[in-house]
Structures are given as structure tokens and as C-alpha cells.
Amino acid sequence: MIRIENVSKSFGDKKVLKNVSAEFEQGKTNLIIGQSGSGKTIMMSICTGLVEPDEGEVFFNDRRFSNLPERKRRDIRKEMGVLFQGGALFDSMNVEENVMFPLNMFTKMSYKDKLDRVDFCLKRVNLENSNKLKTKELSGGMMKRVAIARAIANNPKYLFCDEPNSGLDPKTSELIDALISEITEEYNITTIINTHDMNSVIKIGQRINFLYRGQLWWKGDKNSILTTENKELQEFVFATELTRRLR
Amino acid sequence: MLRKIGDYVILMGQALRRPPKFSIFRRQLVHEFYSLGVTSFLIVAILSVFVGAVAAILVAYNIDNPLLPDLMIGFVTRQMVIQEFSPTIICIILAGKLGSQIASELGTMRVTQQIDALQVMGINAANYLIMPKIIACLLFIPVLIIFSIFLGIYGGYVACDILNIISTEDYVLGLRSWFDPWTVTFALIKTVVFSFIIASVSSFIGYNVNGGSVEVGKASTDGVVYSSILIIFFDLILTQMLLS
């Protein structure tokens, strides 16, 4: 479980997060949703330690993570897997080297064991026999899948996904959503997904946190979000013509 | 300005640490040797031969005095190539090639979140990415400069031979006259300092890119400009310190 307590963050005069507290449950897909500029990305960056909060704390299973020197965070970091918006694959490496990278850095496994683990992870994301492909040869969906394979290679306890569906067609988006959801349940991972894709919200939103102007405005799940009386959330959920008509 | 210097010192403090896994560092270093060093041989070779030839022609033109012996052309060409042309001019050319390469590579990694990915994994990204580049430059650029010195002197020899400026025997005699080994040490000391400037300044600029492709392009240019200015600045200081 990941817990954030009273987290605030400002950039100059602009307050991006205002006293946000939330809990992200283990074995569930925890979504952070909200409009662009609502503070989703900063909240995730604070959780992953890329940005320090001005106030408040972040805990990973009751282990404090925020405002600690980097060497003291290393043990928790080894338990994290992150899927970045663009995949963030290392373009000097091929698919196999990308997925093997965390194993090379943090384990003493033999090359054969590492290769077996890479093959397993690639098979898990339906990319078997893609080991030697260069990153420039991959489509957007394949990049995301390789990034997922890299994220799970080291058996993470916490998985962070920053807009996993951005730039993907609806079918591939569904595939990525399903994959993240399956992996979360299969390995009992605490997964946090940052998204504004309503399809993902309805499909995999087991726990949903709605951010509005830097504040945690609403909490719920994929069922309660459709019947909410919260005006700001309604505006967000039914913002498109399609969702309005379906409503 | 002071803040930038402080940030640079902090980044170098992070980068120049003992690598956690030597086998991975060694692999990175070999990659950088090829990427930064081996691929620079051709441009260094071409420039050195021409610079040496031009140096010989210029010396011959400027000391066209019957009281000065012909061997002076070989002597002055050698001194110019060893003390200034190879270590300084070639390093400025390398600042253009390697500086832009390093800054744009790291800048692209920054804007595509590859550096963030390393940091989230708990890897010291500065150490992993920058240290192999600095070590590769510190070890390989001096080799390139020694190579450049030989080719520059050979360029002068070819100019004398083809253009009949002086006899090649006089040129070689000049090369062998009044040789002071300290000039080579001086050239190598300068080269090591310039190599560090090229790798570290360009890395600092590329590593701290904030934005998109426009900023990566700007970082690439800044890497070259700042490295070149610092090379000239330290050239003056080192020349005064080591030769006064």
C-alpha cells in the first residue's frame, strides 16, 4: 500500500497540490484522474520521488519515502516499476537489453537466468520473439508493452503508469489497460495509473481519485463515478459528446 | 552564474563516484570510446595534415630572411603544432563534434524521460551516463592529439616537399633541433584539461535540458559555445602558468 499524507506542492506562486491525502491499495488498480493541469503528474512524480513535496509525506507500506537522501530510498526504488508516458525506453538498446537492464543493475543472476526472465516478461506482454528489435522499429503500442515488460522484470511491488494510453488507438489502449489490470492482480502489485481516458476509468478503475485544481475532490470506484452528484466530476466524466449521449 | 557553477559542481560530484557495477561501467566506457573517440579519428587526421601544411607555409612566408636558416621553418612548425595547433585548435574542433554529440544525446534522454526512468529505478543517472563520457574523453582525446601532432608535422613535411618551400632535409633537421620534451608534456596537460571541459560542460548542459526539441537543439549549440570559450580561457591561463 502507498499512502500520501497532507502533500502540498507549489511552483513559484502557483500552488499545484493543496494538502492532498490518499491511499493506494495493494492488488488494485488505483487511478488518479483529472483535467490537464489538475496536478496528476506532479502527484505521481512526488510518489516516485522525482519531485519533492513542500509539505507532507509519502509512505510505502509504512516506510517513509519523501524527503529522504537518495541512498536511503534505494531499497524502495528497487521495488518500483514505472511506465512513462512515452515509454522512456533506452534508444541505444534493443528490446532485450531494455528489459534486462534492471536485472543487470540490481541482481546477480546468471546471463541465462536473466534471459529466461526477459523471455518470460516479453511473453507476458505478448511480445515473444521480439528480443532483437531496435526501439525505433517498435510501434507505439509495442513500446508501451516493452516498457511494461521492463517495469515488471524485477518483480516490483509498486507499479506507476503515467498516461499509459496516450497516443494509442482505442483497441491498443484496451489491450494495455487489460495487461496492466491482469499484472496487478496476478502479482498483487500496488498499481497507480494517471489517466484522463474515461474508457480506462470505466474498465479498470477499482479505486479512483479525482483531482480538481490541486485538491483531492472525490474518491470512489468505476461504478460510483457514473452516478456521482459531484458537479466538477460530472463535468469531467461527461465532457465529451459521446459520454453525454450515452448518459 | 554562481548558481550554474554550483549546479555544475554538484552534478560532477554525483557523476564522479565509484560505479556500483564495474562490468556495466566497462561496457559503457567501451561504447563511449567508440562513439566519442574512434569516430573522431578521420576528422582529426584531415584537419591535422592541413593545419600542419598551412603552418609550414605561413612560417616560410613570415621568416623569409636570408639571415635565418631554412631549418627554422621545421623548428617553428613543430613548436606551433605541438604547443598550440594540436592541443588547442583540434580540441576546439572536438568541442564542436563531441560537445554537440554529448549535449544532444543527454538532452534527448532528458526530454524523453530516459533519465527519469534511471532515477526512478534508483540508479545514479549522472554517474551511469556522464562518468563514462568523461573518462573516455580523458583517455582518448590525448591519444587523438598525439596522433594529430604527428600528422600535423607530417603535413608540414608534405607542404615543403610538394610546394618546394625548403628541402625536406632542412625541414627534418629543423624538426630535430632544440627539442624540449617539456613542450609535449605541456601539450598533454592542456589536452587533459580541455578534454574534461568538453565532456563535463556539454554533459552538464545536456543533462539539465528542460523542454522539447528546440531546447535540445539549443543545448547542443550551448555545449559547443561554452566548451570552446572555456578552452580558450584555460588555454591562456595554462600557457601563462606552465610556460612563464
Side-chain angles (χ1 to χ4, degrees):
Chain A
M1 188 184 71
I2 299 171
R3 192 172 79 249
I4 63 172
E5 285 181 0
N6 308 316
V7 165
S8 298
K9 181 72 189 174
S10 302
F11 291 102
D13 294 337
K14 191 172 161 51
K15 211 154 190 189
V16 189
L17 284 181
K18 298 168 193 165
N19 203 29
V20 175
S21 297
E23 280 189 3
F24 304 104
E25 289 179 38
Q26 190 172 347
K28 305 263 190 250
T29 46
N30 301 272
L31 270 59
I32 305 171
I33 61 168
Q35 291 173 341
S36 300
S38 58
K40 303 188 298 289
T41 303
I42 291 300
M43 190 159 152
M44 183 165 280
S45 299
I46 287 172
C47 288
T48 53
L50 288 173
V51 173
E52 288 304 325
D54 296 336
E55 291 165 35
E57 302 281 4
V58 179
F59 295 91
F60 285 70
N61 287 349
D62 296 325
R63 292 173 295 171
R64 190 158 75 92
F65 181 69
S66 49
N67 297 311
L68 283 179
E70 203 50 50
R71 63 192 157 77
K72 290 192 176 174
R73 292 175 166 186
R74 225 156 262 167
D75 287 341
I76 297 178
R77 285 203 179 284
K78 285 174 191 170
E79 297 171 0
M80 284 184 189
V82 180
L83 171 60
F84 285 92
Q85 199 170 340
L89 298 179
F90 304 122
D91 43 24
S92 58
M93 302 176 189
N94 62 25
V95 167
E96 182 180 290
E97 289 163 342
N98 263 288
V99 180
M100 201 182 277
F101 185 79
L103 303 175
N104 285 334
M105 295 304 289
F106 301 119
T107 70
K108 290 180 177 170
M109 292 162 76
S110 69
Y111 180 73
K112 190 186 169 301
D113 289 344
K114 284 188 277 191
L115 203 56
D116 288 345
R117 178 70 188 157
V118 168
D119 288 339
F120 171 80
C121 293
L122 287 176
K123 194 176 176 189
R124 187 66 197 80
V125 297
N126 304 321
L127 278 176
E128 43 287 67
N129 305 321
S130 310
N131 298 41
K132 299 299 173 194
L133 288 178
K134 297 271 180 200
T135 51
K136 64 185 174 189
E137 295 171 310
L138 304 175
S139 66
M142 286 167 88
M143 272 194 189
K144 292 275 165 83
R145 282 188 281 162
V146 174
I148 293 173
R150 185 178 68 184
I152 62 169
N154 211 13
N155 286 316
K157 288 184 181 168
Y158 314 100
L159 180 64
F160 297 89
C161 306
D162 186 16
E163 310 226 359
N165 299 331
S166 67
L168 300 180
D169 63 88
K171 202 173 172 184
T172 313
S173 295
E174 288 230 335
L175 202 126
I176 297 291
D177 282 342
L179 196 56
I180 292 170
S181 180
E182 283 165 25
I183 287 168
T184 301
E185 285 179 28
E186 207 172 309
Y187 305 113
N188 200 25
I189 299 172
T190 306
T191 298
I192 303 181
I193 302 169
N194 178 359
T195 187
H196 46 61
D197 179 1
M198 277 313 296
N199 194 53
S200 300
V201 174
I202 301 302
K203 196 163 180 227
I204 60 168
Q206 292 175 307
R207 296 287 179 271
I208 301 169
N209 297 277
F210 174 62
L211 281 182
Y212 181 72
R213 293 186 180 172
Q215 288 177 290
L216 187 60
W217 209 250
W218 181 89
K219 286 184 200 177
D221 60 27
K222 60 185 176 184
N223 300 315
S224 56
I225 197 168
L226 294 173
T227 54
T228 179
E229 296 296 319
N230 187 305
K231 187 171 158 285
E232 286 77 16
L233 181 57
Q234 277 186 348
E235 279 174 14
F236 174 77
V237 173
F238 303 108
T240 63
E241 185 61 32
L242 181 67
T243 49
R244 274 197 297 273
R245 285 192 184 190
L246 287 171
R247 191 186 185 189
Chain B
M1 177 73 174
L2 276 176
R3 193 190 165 93
K4 288 265 180 209
I5 294 171
D7 288 345
Y8 169 81
V9 172
I10 289 169
L11 183 69
M12 288 305 114
Q14 289 171 352
L16 301 175
R17 287 184 184 175
R18 191 171 170 271
K21 278 209 165 182
F22 193 74
S23 58
I24 291 174
F25 171 73
R26 195 177 51 208
R27 201 183 307 159
Q28 290 280 96
L29 188 62
V30 170
H31 170 75
E32 299 297 351
F33 269 144
Y34 179 77
S35 163
L36 299 175
V38 176
T39 57
S40 304
F41 261 116
L42 186 63
I43 187 170
V44 168
I46 293 169
L47 286 169
S48 301
V49 170
F50 280 89
V51 163
V54 171
I57 295 167
L58 285 174
V59 172
Y61 177 78
N62 282 291
I63 60 168
D64 187 18
N65 186 321
L67 294 176
L68 290 170
D70 283 349
L71 64 87
M72 286 302 288
I73 293 170
F75 168 71
V76 176
T77 302
R78 183 196 72 203
Q79 295 298 90
M80 283 168 69
V81 168
I82 293 177
Q83 293 186 13
E84 191 63 16
F85 280 154
S86 282
T88 306
I89 303 298
I90 297 297
C91 276
I92 288 175
I93 302 293
L94 288 174
K97 181 185 178 291
L98 306 182
S100 61
Q101 186 180 334
I102 292 170
S104 54
E105 182 187 325
L106 292 178
T108 306
M109 289 188 79
R110 171 63 76 189
V111 300
T112 55
Q113 295 184 297
Q114 292 176 52
I115 292 178
D116 289 347
L118 288 168
Q119 284 173 334
V120 166
M121 285 181 208
I123 293 163
N124 178 347
N127 176 261
Y128 177 76
L129 295 171
I130 297 175
M131 186 145 126
K133 293 186 197 306
I134 291 178
I135 302 293
C137 283
L138 286 175
L139 294 176
F140 213 91
I141 294 180
V143 174
L144 286 173
I145 295 305
I146 291 169
F147 175 67
S148 161
I149 288 171
F150 280 108
L151 285 181
I153 290 171
Y154 178 69
Y157 178 93
V158 172
C160 291
D161 191 22
I162 294 174
L163 302 174
N164 278 325
I165 300 168
I166 53 167
S167 71
T168 52
E169 287 78 14
D170 281 340
Y171 181 80
V172 171
L173 188 61
L175 291 180
R176 298 174 65 177
S177 304
W178 307 293
F179 177 69
D180 179 3
W182 168 246
T183 55
V184 177
T185 311
F186 165 69
L188 289 176
I189 291 171
K190 286 209 301 185
T191 303
V192 169
V193 173
F194 298 161
S195 305
F196 186 78
I197 289 171
I198 293 169
S200 64
V201 171
S202 311
S203 295
F204 171 70
I205 292 169
Y207 193 82
N208 289 302
V209 165
N210 192 4
S213 55
V214 174
E215 283 75 18
V216 174
K218 189 174 174 304
S220 174
T221 311
D222 287 350
V224 177
V225 171
Y226 289 119
S227 301
S228 303
I229 291 170
L230 284 169
I231 285 172
I232 294 293
F233 179 69
F234 276 91
D235 187 31
L236 178 69
I237 291 175
L238 289 171
T239 305
Q240 174 62 22
M241 272 173 58
L242 298 172
L243 293 186
S244 65

